[in-house]
Amino acid sequence: MTSARNASASGATAADERLRPRWGQLLLAALVIGLITGLAITGARQAATVQARTAALAGSEATRTNIVYTMRESLALSIVVEQYLAGEAPRRDVQIDRALLGQRLGVLGADGVSAGDAAPASYRDALFALDGRLAAIPSGTLNAAEQQMWSDALDPVLSTFVRESRRLGDLESVTFRTEARAAAEQQVSTAVRESVLLVSALLAALALAVWVFLDVRRYFRRVDAAITEERSGLDLARAALERSTVFERGQARVLERMATGAPLHEQLYSVAELASRASGDLPFRLMVADRIVLSESAQLRAPGDALLESWPVGDGSNPAESGVLELVGTTGDDVAPEVDAVARQCCDLAALVLEHDRSAALLEYQANHDALTGLVNRGLLLDRIGEAMRRRERSGEIVGILFCDLDRFKEVNDSLGHDVGDDVLVEVAGRFRQAVRLHDTVARLGGDEFVVLATWMNDESELRLLGDRLQESLVQPISVQGKEVTVDVTIGQVVVDDLMLDARTALHAADIAMYRGKGVPAPRA
């Protein structure tokens, strides 16, 4: 009787110990709360520091922008002075650019400091020296005799001014990098403190969770083996059915994006995501040409995973249409047969995507470019003229069109044959490409007719200079098939105005201008 009572008391005591939290667990919980509180305080301090740094950066941004614009106006002034010394610009242009620079130097930043005061003393001295020389230059443009004399007088101070102007950007970059480095160091220090607090809190919480888990696990030890086995079989069948459904839906999504002309990266991402979803969210990486596409599960994993298996995409004959599909993960993981089957199907689908993209790109290029010269054709040229005209309506951009017709080209075709004529057209196209600016468009309308669309011009004189460069590009004879051929070009130049209703009207106006240059009547539109 006494033994039963003692056993009962012992069982009650043991039950009470199991139900009550242990002193060590309470201490660990208090430690976790303290660490989280310290982490919150550190985060609040970091937020306040970032807010203060943002306010300081906003205050200095206007001054930094002012310095950058000052450097731009200074270099623009130096270019005009060089043009004046070369006899290409009058003194009035120099005075205008100097006035613009003076206006920029007087602009005040958000901190109340003008651009002139923010510039270093060496820049102001160089500008003062240049002003002293510019005050004595004669009006108008320089003749050949005066150019050498004034070049000798202005070149030293102009070189110093250009050097100091470029230093403005260098000084600003150094200041910005210094501030960024200091901010980065402070952020690293704060991040280290936060990381230490976070890791400590996680370790304490993990220890507490493990301790509680070991106590709770005593109540959940019996498991029904038959139910578990049956549930496992049902889960496997359900997973296989879900993989099949997911693959069919994903394949349809990929084909839909191919049909609707979605971007290539989007299509490849759909293939990588299909491989991941159809294999149970395994991390896949698709590498094709210069593209690396990660599935969503691969993006969420930490870097440094091992390569478990890879499958080739394409036959490798064309690097642009070949690649590899890789499964990444922890070393030692086995690749299931169903995963291998899904990966191979996705490789075939990726190869189909690449082939379709190449075919679509080739068709689009052939539809918009001249087959002989590779230049833009009439359709794409009209689109770009229309786009430029719409920009002109919004921003007042100056848009010019140069209609170029080769002279004596028919004689080349008749005397030397069409093969030589084609080679001449290809060479002319190459020379025209080199003569224009990067953002200009060179097009071939057919035969010996070329068109240059000039955009983003500062004034209409740039259009004349561009026409001169096009004519100068054909001064040298063209050597084709052991023969030297000389052709000239007649250029009709127009600047788009409000009377030109659409792209075809503007192109026709340039065509009429070209015929006027030839001195013959233009054909009816």
Side-chain angles (χ1 to χ4, degrees):
M1 185 74 175
T2 303
S3 301
R5 190 180 296 111
N6 291 338
S8 175
S10 300
T13 302
D16 292 342
E17 291 177 356
R18 287 194 298 270
L19 294 176
R20 287 198 306 265
R22 302 174 185 269
W23 282 105
Q25 294 174 347
L26 293 176
L27 290 176
L28 273 178
L31 177 60
V32 170
I33 294 174
L35 290 173
I36 293 176
T37 303
L39 183 61
I41 294 173
T42 303
R45 290 178 178 175
Q46 174 65 8
T49 302
V50 170
Q51 185 176 5
R53 187 180 302 114
T54 302
L57 181 61
S60 62
E61 182 64 24
T63 301
R64 184 176 295 113
T65 303
N66 222 358
I67 288 295
V68 172
Y69 278 111
T70 300
M71 179 183 69
R72 188 189 69 176
E73 297 293 346
S74 300
L75 294 176
L77 174 60
S78 65
I79 291 173
V80 173
V81 172
E82 290 176 352
Q83 292 175 348
Y84 171 77
L85 294 177
E88 298 175 356
R91 176 185 174 184
R92 176 179 176 81
D93 290 352
V94 176
Q95 293 173 337
I96 290 174
D97 278 53
R98 179 59 184 90
L100 291 176
L101 176 58
Q103 184 179 6
R104 170 55 58 185
L105 292 174
V107 174
L108 297 178
D111 53 359
V113 179
S114 67
D117 294 336
S122 58
Y123 169 81
R124 294 195 298 270
D125 293 340
L127 178 59
F128 180 76
L130 181 62
D131 284 341
R133 297 296 177 89
L134 293 179
I137 62 177
S139 60
T141 56
L142 298 179
N143 55 38
E146 293 175 329
Q147 290 174 14
Q148 183 61 41
M149 179 185 69
W150 284 104
S151 295
D152 294 340
L154 283 175
D155 279 345
V157 294
L158 181 60
S159 300
T160 303
F161 176 70
V162 171
R163 183 176 62 254
E164 293 299 328
S165 298
R166 290 174 176 166
R167 281 190 59 200
L168 292 177
D170 297 337
L171 292 174
E172 188 59 31
S173 299
V174 170
T175 303
F176 182 79
R177 286 196 296 270
T178 302
E179 293 174 354
R181 188 182 299 110
E185 292 175 355
Q186 184 176 4
Q187 288 180 351
V188 169
S189 176
T190 303
V192 169
R193 290 197 300 271
E194 290 179 348
S195 300
V196 171
L197 290 174
L198 179 60
V199 170
S200 301
L202 290 176
L203 291 176
L206 180 62
L208 178 61
V210 170
W211 198 346
V212 173
F213 170 76
L214 292 176
D215 285 342
V216 174
R217 192 177 63 175
R218 298 188 186 100
Y219 297 95
F220 302 95
R221 303 215 33 111
R222 290 182 300 175
V223 178
D224 191 340
I227 295 178
T228 302
E229 183 177 357
E230 182 179 355
R231 183 176 300 165
S232 176
L234 291 175
D235 289 341
L236 290 176
R238 186 183 300 110
L241 180 60
E242 288 178 355
R243 281 196 301 270
S244 176
T245 304
V246 167
F247 186 85
E248 291 178 358
R249 292 177 179 175
Q251 185 179 30
R253 189 179 301 112
V254 173
L255 295 176
E256 178 185 0
R257 293 185 175 179
M258 288 173 56
T260 56
L264 178 60
H265 185 83
E266 219 175 282
Q267 299 181 40
L268 293 177
Y269 174 76
S270 299
V271 175
E273 189 64 17
L274 172 59
S276 176
R277 294 291 178 86
S279 58
D281 287 331
L282 293 177
F284 277 88
R285 181 170 58 202
L286 179 59
M287 296 189 296
V288 179
D290 57 345
R291 298 173 184 267
I292 300 178
V293 182
L294 303 177
S295 66
E296 183 178 356
S297 57
Q299 296 175 17
L300 298 177
R301 293 181 67 90
D305 285 339
L307 175 62
L308 301 181
E309 187 63 71
S310 63
W311 297 266
V313 175
D315 56 5
S317 59
N318 186 358
E321 298 181 14
S322 303
V324 62
L325 178 65
E326 297 180 345
L327 174 62
V328 296
T330 306
T331 304
D333 294 344
D334 294 328
V335 180
E338 57 269 21
V339 175
D340 181 78
V342 167
R344 294 182 183 278
Q345 289 177 303
C346 289
C347 286
D348 295 337
L349 193 57
L352 180 62
V353 166
L354 294 173
E355 182 180 359
H356 177 268
D357 180 75
R358 179 186 63 81
S359 300
L362 180 60
L363 289 175
E364 181 180 2
Y365 182 87
Q366 291 174 346
N368 293 318
H369 291 79
D370 177 55
L372 176 63
T373 63
L375 296 178
V376 170
N377 62 12
R378 179 186 291 270
L380 184 54
L381 173 65
L382 290 174
D383 290 342
R384 292 187 179 179
I385 293 176
E387 181 181 355
M389 294 177 71
R390 289 188 291 272
R391 286 201 312 268
R392 174 186 172 275
E393 293 176 358
R394 294 192 302 267
S395 62
E397 173 187 346
I398 299 177
V399 179
I401 302 176
L402 298 97
F403 199 108
C404 307
D405 185 80
L406 299 183
D407 300 328
R408 298 198 304 272
F409 179 74
K410 185 176 183 303
E411 300 174 5
V412 174
N413 259 348
D414 295 341
S415 60
L416 301 179
H418 290 283
D419 290 341
V420 174
D422 289 346
D423 292 343
V424 169
L425 291 176
V426 172
E427 177 63 19
V428 169
R431 294 189 182 186
F432 280 0
R433 280 198 192 101
Q434 295 177 354
V436 300
R437 302 166 301 175
L438 291 178
H439 50 266
D440 294 334
T441 298
V442 182
R444 179 178 177 233
L445 303 187
D448 57 354
E449 293 180 341
F450 295 84
V451 173
V452 176
L453 171 63
T455 56
W456 302 110
M457 295 185 297
N458 296 320
D459 52 49
E460 298 180 5
S461 63
E462 291 188 20
L463 187 63
R464 294 190 297 272
L465 294 176
L466 181 57
D468 293 340
R469 289 201 300 272
L470 292 174
Q471 290 180 328
E472 291 172 0
S473 67
L474 299 182
V475 171
Q476 294 295 328
I478 300 175
S479 298
V480 289
Q481 299 184 13
K483 303 178 180 62
E484 286 197 350
V485 178
T486 302
V487 294
D488 295 331
V489 61
T490 300
I491 301 177
Q493 303 178 10
V494 294
V495 176
V496 175
D497 55 28
D498 295 334
L499 298 178
M500 301 177 185
L501 302 180
D502 54 18
R504 294 183 182 277
T505 306
L507 184 61
H508 182 61
D511 189 11
I512 293 175
M514 184 273 296
Y515 276 101
R516 287 200 192 102
K518 284 181 175 291
V520 296
R524 292 184 179 272

